């Protein structure tokens, strides 16, 4: 029977696959002392409210991905979203490979918007893969307000994501990490409903 | 003159919302006035072969190759 939602076991297996492939580790955010420090720093820099940062957002530092939910626990976070978050954060893992990334992300709201847009495109690609629907670019872009991005940044992000959505709806997958993820889902979980690509 | 030309290239600015094709790259002007990569059309998987060109609204983006050549 075809299903459009991953199972708990599939979600856990997928996260493990991505962790192995990219050399990353998923860490429960509540257990991480370094996340408490990051929350304080981001709040002082005016990037994000500390409590919101700890409770609602997955955060990547280098190759460590701090998750505010138990992977595979649908009660914590819908499993489709857990898959999307995994791919989104692995885009950030790649971005950490750039020497200017941390500086740009923390100190330049326009650069922060660009980096998040590229990761949001991956989230949109995974959502489209599972549901056949592309999330609203405007609604996603508006989330950047919580990252202390300006109205200009949000307008730019809306245009960025709207253009990307047009590619996604025509069957294109832009993001390397989403390309890897979709190959895994097609090969390892063929009962998950998926759109044909290519 | 060469130094000035190089300086001009390094400081190339744009207006937010501008788009362009740079080879196979679709680029968009950010809120910071910088050209940023939106997508490398040659690296897109699925949906056929992609190329960078202007869509019907004049936005430079990645489109299926046959759509890019439709106006030629």
């Amino acid at each position: 029977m075809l299903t459009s939602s991953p199972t708990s076991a599939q979600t856990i297996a997928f996260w493990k696959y991505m962790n192995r492939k990219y050399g990353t580790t998923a860490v429960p955010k509540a257990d991480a002392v370094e996340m408490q420090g990051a929350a304080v720093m981001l709040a002082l820099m005016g990037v994000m409210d500390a409590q919101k940062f700890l409770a609602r957002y997955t955060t990547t530092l280098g190759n460590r991905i701090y998750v505010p939910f138990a992977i595979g626990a649908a009660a914590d976070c819908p499993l489709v979203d857990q898959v999307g978050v995994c791919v989104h954060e692995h885009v950030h893992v790649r971005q950490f490979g750039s020497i200017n990334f941390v500086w740009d992300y923390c100190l330049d709201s326009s650069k922060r918007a660009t980096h998040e847009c590229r990761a949001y495109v991956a989230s949109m690609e995974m959502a489209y893969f599972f549901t056949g629907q592309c999330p609203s670019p405007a609604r996603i872009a508006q989330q950047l307000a919580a990252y202390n991005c300006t109205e200009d940044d949000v307008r730019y992000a809306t245009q960025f994501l709207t253009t990307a959505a047009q590619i996604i709806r025509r069957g294109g997958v832009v993001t390397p990490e989403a390309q890897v993820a979709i190959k895994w889902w097609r090969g390892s979980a063929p009962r998950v409903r998926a759109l044909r690509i290519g | 003159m060469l130094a000035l030309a190089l300086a001009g290239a390094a400081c190339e600015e744009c207006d937010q919302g501008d788009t362009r094709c740079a080879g196979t790259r679709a680029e968009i002007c950010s809120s910071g006035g910088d050209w940023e990569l939106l997508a490398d059309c040659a690296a897109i998987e699925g949906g056929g072969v992609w190329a960078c060109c202007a869509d019907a609204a004049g936005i430079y983006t990645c489109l299926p190759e046959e759509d890019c050549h439709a106006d030629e």
Side-chain angles (χ1 to χ4, degrees):
Chain A
M1 187 170 101
L2 291 178
T3 173
S4 61
S5 179
T7 65
S8 175
Q10 289 168 343
T11 302
I12 293 169
F14 173 68
W15 267 87
K16 286 182 176 174
Y17 166 74
M18 294 292 276
N19 288 155
R20 278 195 307 270
K21 181 163 182 69
Y22 292 101
T24 56
T25 304
V27 180
K29 199 168 190 180
D31 298 342
V33 172
E34 60 270 36
M35 283 293 102
Q36 306 290 335
V40 170
M41 184 187 76
L42 289 172
L44 287 173
M45 296 176 77
V47 174
M48 183 177 286
D49 173 79
Q51 285 307 309
K52 192 182 293 186
F53 167 77
L54 288 170
R56 291 174 48 184
Y57 289 85
T58 302
T59 301
T60 294
L61 285 179
N63 65 349
R64 290 169 70 83
I65 302 173
Y66 298 88
V67 287
F69 53 81
I71 296 171
D76 285 1
C77 175
L79 297 177
V80 170
D81 292 346
Q82 292 190 24
V83 172
V85 163
C86 180
V87 184
H88 177 113
E89 296 303 325
H90 279 88
V91 173
H92 289 319
V93 169
R94 170 165 49 89
Q95 292 170 342
F96 266 98
S98 167
I99 196 167
N100 292 330
F101 172 65
V102 174
W103 180 271
D104 284 348
Y105 190 96
C106 290
L107 299 181
D108 185 330
S109 69
S110 175
K111 294 287 187 188
R112 183 158 62 247
T114 296
H115 289 307
E116 284 298 340
C117 278
R118 294 197 178 120
Y120 282 138
V121 169
S123 305
M124 292 164 66
E125 287 163 335
M126 297 313 298
Y128 188 74
F129 173 77
F130 282 108
T131 70
Q133 302 287 327
C134 207
S136 163
R139 189 175 301 168
I140 295 173
Q142 194 56 47
Q143 294 175 24
L144 289 174
Y147 289 72
N148 200 28
C149 286
T150 67
E151 288 183 8
D152 277 350
D153 296 332
V154 173
R155 270 192 290 273
Y156 154 60
T158 302
Q159 183 183 358
F160 190 115
L161 296 174
T162 298
T163 307
Q166 290 163 354
I167 297 171
I168 293 169
R169 289 194 191 100
R170 298 184 83 152
V173 183
V174 171
T175 315
E177 290 77 11
Q179 292 169 0
V180 165
I182 288 171
K183 283 189 180 75
W184 186 89
W185 281 100
R186 287 189 184 283
S188 301
R191 287 183 178 274
V192 173
R193 187 186 75 186
L195 295 172
R196 294 176 61 82
I197 57 174
Chain B
M1 280 188 67
L2 177 61
L4 285 174
L6 288 174
C11 297
E12 184 179 17
E13 291 185 355
C14 52
D15 293 325
Q16 179 178 340
D18 288 350
T19 58
R20 72 179 183 184
C21 291
T24 63
R25 294 163 55 101
E27 297 184 342
I28 182 171
C29 187
S30 74
S31 44
D34 300 312
W35 285 109
E36 298 286 0
L37 171 69
L38 189 143
D40 183 349
C41 307
I44 294 175
E45 290 189 355
V49 178
W50 297 78
C52 190
C53 60
D55 66 9
I59 306 294
Y60 288 92
T61 181
C62 298
L63 291 174
E65 195 178 47
E66 59 268 23
D67 291 347
C68 276
H69 295 310
D71 293 333
E72 290 180 2

